[in-house]
Each structure stands twice: as C-alpha cells, then as structure tokens.
Amino acid sequence: MLMGIGELPKVFVIFLAAFLACVISTYQGVVGVDKTLINAARVLGAKDGRIFARVVVPASTPFILVGMRVGLGSAWATLVAAELLAAQAGLGYRMQQAQLYYDLATIFVDIIAIGILGLVMDRLLLLAETKLTGWQERR
C-alpha cells in the first residue's frame, strides 16, 4: 500500500522473494567456511580483505549459486502470480485473459512457455555453477 498501485510494488515483491533466499543461503555459506582455511591464510600473512576475497568468497560460491537458483524459482513464481493478479502485459496476464474466453490452447501454451523459460534459466545457472565450482567435489 505504501508504494501505490503501479509496477514498483510488484517489482519490490519479486525482489524480496529472490533476495531473501539468496541472503540466507549466502549467510550459511559464509558461516560454514572452514576455520582452518582462514587460520592458514592468517598464518601466511593475509589481511582481512584478502582473506575475504581469496578464502571466504570462493568457499561460499556454491552456497551463493544455490541461493540464486532458489531465488530464481521464487522470483519466477512471484512474477507469474503478480501478472495473474494485476498486470497489463505478460504471460500471466495472457492466461488471465484467455480464461475469460475459455481459450484453453492459449492457457496451455503459456503454461508450457513459463515452464520452458524457468527450465532454461535454471539450466543456465546450473551451467554457471558447474563452471565456477569445478574444484568442488561432486556426490
């Protein structure tokens, strides 16, 4: 209500959906950094900034990328919901309009498009995760 009825509230809700998942996952990654690695860097003379850049960020990268994938899913679902409720364009809006005229073909095509776009975005993040965390042991 504070932001009005334009696009800003929708963008803010989508941002919150993605941001919170990313922050929580990143926090878990930073907290879980092995203290031995930090102590080894200190013994070798590294200062706090260098430890953060060379030890904490690389060790947290898998968690950050998982948070981004979860955030992407949340943002995508929130985007479609926001379009279904109050939008003048987008796949959700098209589905809402097709519902009024019982146009099942359009609804199914939009659902498939939403699924394909979500899958492509997720696979792109998975590819980035594979490239950025190639050093990580896979199970």
Side-chain angles (χ1 to χ4, degrees), residues 6 28 36 47 71 88 110 114 133:
Q28 284 300 113
T36 306
K47 302 290 182 207
Q88 289 76 35
D110 289 342
I114 289 168
T133 61

Side-chain angles (χ1 to χ4, degrees), residues 30 33 37-58:
V30 170
V33 173
L37 296 173
I38 294 173
N39 290 336
R42 285 198 198 286
V43 166
L44 293 171
K47 302 290 182 207
D48 288 340
R50 193 148 178 97
I51 290 173
F52 179 76
R54 295 291 182 120
V55 177
V56 175
V57 170

